[in-house]
Amino acid sequence: METLEHLFLNIQRVYQFQLLQILLHGCQDLLFCLPHTARLLEAGRAELSKRRFADFASAVTAIVDGYLETLSGDVSWFCKKFDYRYENEPWYNAKDAIERTVSCLSG
C-alpha cells in the first residue's frame, strides 16, 4: 500500500473516532495542497458513511478555503508591491506568495 494512501486511511480512522474532527475544527495551521486534498476526500468518500463524510469534507474544505483566501490576499499584495505607490510598504507575508501558491496548487 502506498505510504500516502496509508496515511489517508489512518486519518479517516482517527476521524471515525471523533479525534480528527476536534483537530480539524480547532487547528488553523493544518494545510493540505489541492492534489492531496482531492485524494483525502476520495479516500474519505470510500471509507466514511455519507453523514460522516459530509462533516469530514466540510472540515477539510474549510481549512483549504481559508488557506486559499490567505494565498489570494498574499498574491494580490505581492503584485501591488511592484506598483510605485506601494514600494515603501512592508512585504508582510507576500514575499514568497508565488512559491506557496504553486506548492499549494501542484502539491
Side-chain angles (χ1 to χ4, degrees):
M1 178 179 281
E2 190 178 322
T3 304
L4 194 54
E5 289 178 21
H6 184 69
L7 173 67
F8 291 153
L9 289 175
N10 284 335
I11 288 174
Q12 292 157 9
R13 288 186 185 115
V14 169
Y15 185 82
Q16 286 177 333
F17 293 108
Q18 308 265 331
L19 296 176
L20 185 59
Q21 185 177 20
I22 293 166
L23 288 174
L24 286 175
H25 290 295
C27 181
Q28 301 304 323
D29 297 331
L30 185 60
L31 302 175
F32 304 110
C33 66
L34 295 185
H36 289 135
T37 299
R39 290 181 66 188
L40 181 61
L41 292 173
E42 288 170 11
R45 184 181 305 277
E47 294 291 319
L48 300 172
S49 68
K50 286 184 180 183
R51 186 178 79 65
R52 288 211 182 249
F53 175 71
D55 294 341
F56 178 75
S58 293
V60 170
T61 55
I63 291 169
V64 173
D65 287 348
Y67 186 60
L68 290 175
E69 200 171 303
T70 299
L71 280 178
S72 176
D74 290 347
V75 168
S76 178
W77 185 250
F78 179 90
C79 294
K80 284 181 181 178
K81 278 294 291 170
F82 293 95
D83 184 330
Y84 73 94
R85 294 172 291 183
Y86 297 98
E87 67 185 350
N88 293 323
E89 296 294 323
W91 278 93
Y92 300 112
N93 202 26
K95 217 168 209 178
D96 65 343
I98 303 304
E99 291 86 353
R100 286 185 290 122
T101 302
V102 169
S103 178
C104 180
L105 296 175
S106 65

XYZ file of all heavy atoms in Angstrom, residues 34-99:
538
model
N -3.828 21.069 -2.924
C -5.052 20.670 -3.628
C -5.028 19.219 -4.109
O -6.029 18.516 -3.957
C -5.340 21.638 -4.767
C -5.673 23.066 -4.326
C -6.062 23.910 -5.529
C -6.777 23.096 -3.291
N -3.918 18.728 -4.681
C -3.927 17.317 -5.082
C -4.128 16.357 -3.897
O -4.874 15.384 -4.004
C -2.549 17.114 -5.719
C -2.152 18.473 -6.192
C -2.710 19.415 -5.169
N -3.503 16.654 -2.766
C -3.674 15.784 -1.609
C -5.054 15.962 -0.975
O -5.603 15.013 -0.413
C -2.563 16.026 -0.585
C -1.243 15.507 -1.043
N -0.088 16.220 -0.926
C -0.914 14.344 -1.660
C 0.915 15.517 -1.429
N 0.434 14.381 -1.889
N -5.607 17.148 -1.085
C -6.973 17.358 -0.609
C -7.940 16.483 -1.401
O -8.814 15.829 -0.833
C -7.381 18.834 -0.722
O -6.507 19.616 0.091
C -8.811 19.059 -0.288
N -7.758 16.461 -2.715
C -8.623 15.635 -3.564
C -8.494 14.161 -3.197
O -9.506 13.453 -3.076
C -8.277 15.854 -5.031
N -7.270 13.703 -2.987
C -7.071 12.301 -2.623
C -7.641 11.993 -1.250
O -8.204 10.924 -1.028
C -5.590 11.958 -2.680
C -5.077 11.944 -4.122
C -3.648 11.582 -4.215
N -3.440 10.194 -3.789
C -2.232 9.665 -3.638
N -1.157 10.399 -3.863
N -2.106 8.418 -3.259
N -7.485 12.926 -0.331
C -8.031 12.741 1.011
C -9.555 12.634 0.954
O -10.156 11.767 1.593
C -7.608 13.898 1.909
C -8.075 13.860 3.354
C -7.517 12.627 4.058
C -7.647 15.111 4.085
N -10.183 13.497 0.164
C -11.642 13.457 0.045
C -12.115 12.185 -0.659
O -13.143 11.610 -0.287
C -12.146 14.705 -0.671
C -11.978 16.013 0.118
C -12.346 17.210 -0.741
C -12.776 15.989 1.408
N -11.380 11.742 -1.674
C -11.737 10.488 -2.348
C -11.660 9.309 -1.381
O -12.554 8.465 -1.344
C -10.797 10.236 -3.533
C -11.018 11.130 -4.711
C -9.918 10.997 -5.754
O -9.092 10.055 -5.668
O -9.875 11.846 -6.657
N -10.593 9.273 -0.602
C -10.443 8.190 0.368
C -11.525 8.287 1.441
O -12.064 7.264 1.879
C -9.054 8.244 0.996
N -11.867 9.493 1.858
C -12.920 9.686 2.841
C -14.266 9.217 2.337
O -15.032 8.583 3.065
N -14.535 9.500 1.079
C -15.811 9.070 0.486
C -15.897 7.543 0.483
O -16.958 6.966 0.719
C -15.960 9.608 -0.934
C -17.306 9.288 -1.566
C -17.436 9.802 -2.978
N -17.198 11.207 -3.135
C -18.084 12.177 -2.915
N -19.290 11.864 -2.486
N -17.771 13.435 -3.118
N -14.770 6.888 0.246
C -14.754 5.426 0.187
C -14.870 4.787 1.571
O -15.443 3.703 1.704
C -13.470 4.951 -0.491
N -14.374 5.450 2.597
C -14.285 4.834 3.926
C -15.370 5.260 4.908
O -15.692 4.505 5.810
C -12.922 5.145 4.550
C -11.763 4.510 3.839
C -11.750 2.996 3.996
O -12.033 2.510 5.109
O -11.468 2.316 3.002
N -15.877 6.475 4.766
C -16.802 7.016 5.765
C -18.250 6.875 5.321
O -18.537 6.803 4.128
C -16.496 8.495 6.011
C -15.103 8.831 6.532
C -14.883 10.332 6.532
C -14.905 8.262 7.919
N -19.150 6.875 6.288
C -20.575 6.900 5.963
C -20.894 8.250 5.314
O -20.115 9.195 5.426
C -21.407 6.715 7.235
O -21.274 7.854 8.073
N -22.047 8.342 4.664
C -22.409 9.597 3.992
C -22.454 10.770 4.964
O -21.987 11.866 4.660
C -23.751 9.456 3.273
C -23.666 8.644 2.021
C -24.990 8.619 1.290
C -24.865 7.798 0.027
N -26.086 7.790 -0.748
N -23.029 10.556 6.127
C -23.130 11.639 7.107
C -21.754 12.053 7.617
O -21.438 13.226 7.686
C -24.027 11.224 8.270
C -24.287 12.359 9.257
C -25.207 11.974 10.391
N -24.607 11.208 11.461
C -23.656 11.640 12.287
N -23.159 12.838 12.131
N -23.200 10.882 13.249
N -20.944 11.072 7.966
C -19.598 11.393 8.465
C -18.750 12.018 7.367
O -17.944 12.898 7.632
C -18.920 10.153 9.021
C -19.529 9.714 10.319
C -18.483 9.076 11.165
N -19.072 8.616 12.391
C -18.825 9.158 13.559
N -18.004 10.162 13.632
N -19.393 8.701 14.635
N -18.915 11.539 6.118
C -18.141 12.118 5.030
C -18.518 13.580 4.813
O -17.646 14.412 4.556
C -18.333 11.340 3.723
C -17.638 12.004 2.567
C -16.256 12.006 2.489
C -18.361 12.665 1.594
C -15.598 12.645 1.440
C -17.720 13.303 0.550
C -16.336 13.294 0.467
N -19.791 13.903 4.915
C -20.216 15.300 4.743
C -19.544 16.195 5.788
O -19.041 17.275 5.456
C -21.735 15.416 4.835
N -19.507 15.753 7.035
C -18.829 16.516 8.090
C -17.333 16.606 7.828
O -16.724 17.659 7.980
C -19.062 15.867 9.463
C -20.512 15.921 9.908
O -21.275 16.755 9.367
O -20.875 15.126 10.793
N -16.761 15.475 7.442
C -15.326 15.412 7.150
C -14.970 16.350 6.001
O -14.034 17.142 6.097
C -14.964 13.960 6.808
C -13.533 13.747 6.445
C -12.548 13.747 7.417
C -13.172 13.501 5.135
C -11.221 13.521 7.084
C -11.851 13.279 4.790
C -10.881 13.285 5.772
N -15.733 16.282 4.914
C -15.465 17.113 3.741
C -15.622 18.595 4.079
O -14.831 19.428 3.622
C -16.406 16.724 2.599
N -16.615 18.928 4.876
C -16.807 20.328 5.275
C -15.620 20.841 6.076
O -15.151 21.960 5.859
C -18.079 20.481 6.109
O -19.199 20.227 5.333
N -15.126 20.025 6.991
C -13.994 20.434 7.815
C -12.737 20.614 6.969
O -12.027 21.611 7.098
C -13.752 19.413 8.922
N -12.467 19.664 6.089
C -11.267 19.738 5.246
C -11.362 20.921 4.290
O -10.407 21.694 4.146
C -11.057 18.411 4.473
C -9.964 18.561 3.428
C -10.718 17.286 5.442
N -12.494 21.092 3.626
C -12.611 22.186 2.667
C -12.589 23.551 3.349
O -12.109 24.520 2.770
C -13.863 22.049 1.778
O -15.016 21.935 2.600
C -13.758 20.842 0.868
N -13.074 23.635 4.575
C -13.000 24.910 5.302
C -11.549 25.296 5.543
O -11.173 26.473 5.413
C -13.761 24.813 6.624
N -10.722 24.323 5.894
C -9.294 24.598 6.109
C -8.638 25.033 4.805
O -7.924 26.038 4.757
C -8.600 23.349 6.687
C -9.077 23.106 8.113
C -7.081 23.502 6.643
C -8.660 21.774 8.680
N -8.903 24.299 3.736
C -8.292 24.614 2.442
C -8.796 25.961 1.928
O -8.007 26.780 1.432
C -8.552 23.489 1.418
C -8.076 23.882 0.039
C -7.871 22.204 1.874
N -10.091 26.225 2.052
C -10.645 27.507 1.604
C -10.018 28.676 2.351
O -9.706 29.711 1.762
C -12.161 27.544 1.774
C -12.887 26.681 0.767
O -12.257 26.223 -0.212
O -14.102 26.454 0.963
N -9.825 28.517 3.647
C -9.191 29.571 4.431
C -7.776 29.836 3.968
O -7.347 30.992 3.854
N -7.036 28.770 3.674
C -5.663 28.945 3.203
C -5.644 29.571 1.814
O -4.814 30.441 1.532
C -4.919 27.616 3.203
C -3.456 27.766 2.864
C -2.621 28.548 3.664
C -2.916 27.161 1.755
C -1.282 28.710 3.359
C -1.575 27.313 1.440
C -0.763 28.087 2.247
O 0.571 28.246 1.930
N -6.559 29.158 0.927
C -6.621 29.753 -0.410
C -6.957 31.240 -0.349
O -6.438 32.039 -1.131
C -7.628 29.007 -1.287
C -7.228 27.596 -1.698
C -8.367 26.927 -2.455
C -5.955 27.599 -2.517
N -7.801 31.607 0.586
C -8.132 33.015 0.781
C -6.895 33.806 1.224
O -6.633 34.906 0.743
C -9.249 33.138 1.810
C -9.991 34.448 1.748
C -11.216 34.412 2.643
O -12.068 33.533 2.462
O -11.293 35.287 3.523
N -6.131 33.214 2.132
C -4.886 33.844 2.576
C -3.908 33.979 1.414
O -3.297 35.040 1.220
C -4.238 33.013 3.707
O -5.133 32.963 4.808
C -2.916 33.593 4.143
N -3.769 32.918 0.637
C -2.874 32.968 -0.527
C -3.308 34.034 -1.515
O -2.478 34.763 -2.060
C -2.841 31.611 -1.235
C -1.956 30.538 -0.642
C -2.095 29.250 -1.447
C -0.519 30.969 -0.575
N -4.592 34.146 -1.746
C -5.117 35.143 -2.672
C -4.738 36.551 -2.225
O -4.285 37.375 -3.028
C -6.629 35.006 -2.785
O -7.161 36.007 -3.610
N -4.907 36.828 -0.951
C -4.533 38.134 -0.420
C -3.041 38.382 -0.520
O -2.600 39.489 -0.859
N -2.243 37.346 -0.255
C -0.793 37.492 -0.338
C -0.330 37.720 -1.774
O 0.553 38.538 -2.028
C -0.094 36.265 0.250
C -0.231 36.176 1.759
O -0.656 37.183 2.386
O 0.062 35.106 2.313
N -0.920 37.004 -2.734
C -0.559 37.202 -4.140
C -0.973 38.599 -4.596
O -0.237 39.284 -5.313
C -1.177 36.116 -5.048
C -1.046 36.478 -6.519
C -0.531 34.763 -4.767
N -2.131 39.043 -4.164
C -2.586 40.393 -4.501
C -1.603 41.437 -3.978
O -1.231 42.371 -4.700
C -3.973 40.633 -3.929
O -4.407 41.937 -4.198
N -1.174 41.283 -2.724
C -0.222 42.234 -2.147
C 1.124 42.125 -2.845
O 1.790 43.137 -3.090
C -0.070 42.010 -0.642
C 0.796 43.049 -0.013
C 2.045 42.881 0.503
C 0.506 44.443 0.132
N 2.544 44.066 0.963
C 1.608 45.051 0.751
C -0.595 45.229 -0.204
C 1.657 46.404 1.042
C -0.546 46.580 0.090
C 0.569 47.145 0.697
N 1.547 40.912 -3.219
C 2.787 40.711 -3.953
C 2.766 41.535 -5.246
O 3.730 42.226 -5.573
C 2.974 39.223 -4.273
C 4.212 38.915 -5.054
C 5.403 38.634 -4.398
C 4.195 38.889 -6.435
C 6.559 38.346 -5.111
C 5.335 38.597 -7.160
C 6.526 38.327 -6.500
N 1.653 41.481 -5.963
C 1.525 42.241 -7.219
C 1.529 43.742 -6.963
O 2.145 44.507 -7.715
C 0.256 41.828 -7.956
S 0.296 40.126 -8.541
N 0.856 44.171 -5.906
C 0.817 45.605 -5.590
C 2.194 46.149 -5.246
O 2.473 47.321 -5.484
C -0.140 45.865 -4.423
C -1.587 45.793 -4.804
C -2.463 46.091 -3.615
C -3.931 46.002 -4.005
N -4.809 46.244 -2.867
N 3.053 45.312 -4.680
C 4.381 45.772 -4.289
C 5.203 46.238 -5.484
O 6.178 46.958 -5.326
C 5.138 44.656 -3.550
C 4.796 44.540 -2.100
C 5.227 45.755 -1.298
C 6.723 45.840 -1.212
N 7.197 47.093 -0.650
N 4.825 45.870 -6.687
C 5.546 46.306 -7.873
C 4.977 47.599 -8.445
O 5.472 48.108 -9.449
C 5.574 45.191 -8.922
C 6.394 44.025 -8.466
C 5.797 42.941 -7.858
C 7.772 44.038 -8.589
C 6.548 41.869 -7.399
C 8.548 42.980 -8.137
C 7.925 41.897 -7.544
N 3.951 48.111 -7.808
C 3.391 49.421 -8.150
C 4.173 50.461 -7.351
O 4.398 50.299 -6.154
C 1.913 49.446 -7.757
C 1.199 50.726 -8.148
O 1.848 51.785 -8.188
O -0.017 50.650 -8.391
N 4.591 51.527 -7.995
C 5.423 52.526 -7.322
C 4.751 53.100 -6.073
O 5.425 53.534 -5.145
C 5.785 53.656 -8.295
C 4.629 54.583 -8.626
C 4.427 55.762 -7.914
C 3.729 54.270 -9.651
C 3.363 56.609 -8.205
C 2.669 55.108 -9.944
C 2.500 56.273 -9.219
O 1.450 57.109 -9.506
N 3.424 53.080 -6.026
C 2.726 53.637 -4.862
C 2.911 52.789 -3.601
O 2.724 53.277 -2.494
C 1.231 53.777 -5.165
C 0.940 54.803 -6.260
C -0.504 54.773 -6.648
N -0.768 53.501 -7.347
C -1.925 53.164 -7.871
N -2.961 53.961 -7.752
N -2.075 52.024 -8.494
N 3.279 51.543 -3.779
C 3.408 50.640 -2.633
C 4.849 50.208 -2.377
O 5.097 49.370 -1.507
C 2.558 49.378 -2.854
C 1.090 49.658 -2.966
C 0.467 49.755 -4.210
C 0.319 49.828 -1.827
C -0.891 50.019 -4.313
C -1.035 50.091 -1.923
C -1.633 50.188 -3.175
O -2.960 50.438 -3.270
N 5.798 50.776 -3.098
C 7.170 50.294 -2.991
C 7.768 50.470 -1.593
O 8.650 49.713 -1.195
C 8.068 50.952 -4.041
C 8.279 52.440 -3.836
C 9.083 53.055 -4.970
O 9.633 52.315 -5.806
O 9.155 54.286 -5.014
N 7.297 51.438 -0.837
C 7.827 51.656 0.510
C 7.029 50.936 1.600
O 7.364 51.033 2.774
C 7.897 53.150 0.820
C 8.921 53.856 -0.055
O 9.969 53.298 -0.357
N 8.602 55.056 -0.489
N 5.991 50.238 1.211
C 5.179 49.481 2.167
C 5.886 48.163 2.497
O 6.647 47.638 1.685
C 3.800 49.188 1.581
C 2.972 50.425 1.303
C 2.586 51.167 2.575
O 2.317 50.502 3.592
O 2.556 52.404 2.539
N 5.618 47.597 3.671
C 6.245 46.310 4.011
C 5.676 45.163 3.166
O 4.563 45.255 2.650
C 5.903 46.126 5.483
C 4.720 46.981 5.717
C 4.794 48.121 4.753
N 6.443 44.100 3.057
C 6.020 42.942 2.291
C 4.974 42.112 3.023
O 4.219 41.368 2.407
C 7.222 42.036 1.979
C 8.004 42.501 0.804
C 9.093 43.324 0.833
C 7.758 42.190 -0.556
N 9.544 43.528 -0.437
C 8.738 42.846 -1.320
C 6.804 41.421 -1.220
C 8.798 42.750 -2.699
C 6.861 41.326 -2.589
C 7.850 41.988 -3.315
N 4.931 42.217 4.318
C 4.091 41.346 5.146
C 4.435 39.890 4.840
O 5.591 39.515 4.864
C 2.599 41.645 4.977
C 2.238 43.066 5.360
C 1.817 43.976 4.409
C 2.356 43.485 6.679
C 1.501 45.287 4.766
C 2.045 44.787 7.046
C 1.619 45.684 6.078
O 1.312 46.958 6.435
N 3.459 39.082 4.499
C 3.707 37.667 4.256
C 3.715 37.353 2.757
O 3.565 36.208 2.358
C 2.621 36.835 4.961
C 3.056 35.425 5.210
O 4.231 35.136 5.314
N 2.096 34.518 5.288
N 3.898 38.353 1.921
C 3.719 38.175 0.489
C 4.996 37.852 -0.285
O 4.923 37.499 -1.454
C 3.094 39.439 -0.111
N 6.138 37.943 0.339
C 7.389 37.773 -0.393
C 7.488 36.414 -1.077
O 8.007 36.305 -2.175
C 8.569 37.984 0.540
C 9.714 38.689 -0.119
C 10.739 39.128 0.890
C 11.414 40.369 0.356
N 12.383 40.918 1.228
N 6.985 35.381 -0.447
C 7.034 34.038 -1.028
C 5.652 33.545 -1.469
O 5.418 32.340 -1.604
C 7.653 33.053 -0.037
C 6.805 32.859 1.203
O 5.919 33.696 1.468
O 7.024 31.863 1.911
N 4.748 34.471 -1.726
C 3.362 34.104 -2.066
C 3.270 33.262 -3.329
O 2.466 32.323 -3.404
C 2.500 35.361 -2.213
N 4.073 33.560 -4.331
C 4.015 32.817 -5.584
C 4.463 31.371 -5.371
O 3.794 30.436 -5.821
C 4.879 33.509 -6.660
C 4.442 34.961 -6.869
C 4.839 32.719 -7.971
C 2.989 35.144 -7.226
N 5.567 31.182 -4.646
C 6.058 29.831 -4.380
C 5.039 29.023 -3.562
O 4.788 27.845 -3.841
C 7.392 29.873 -3.637
C 8.535 30.397 -4.471
C 8.673 31.908 -4.451
O 7.804 32.610 -3.887
O 9.639 32.407 -5.031
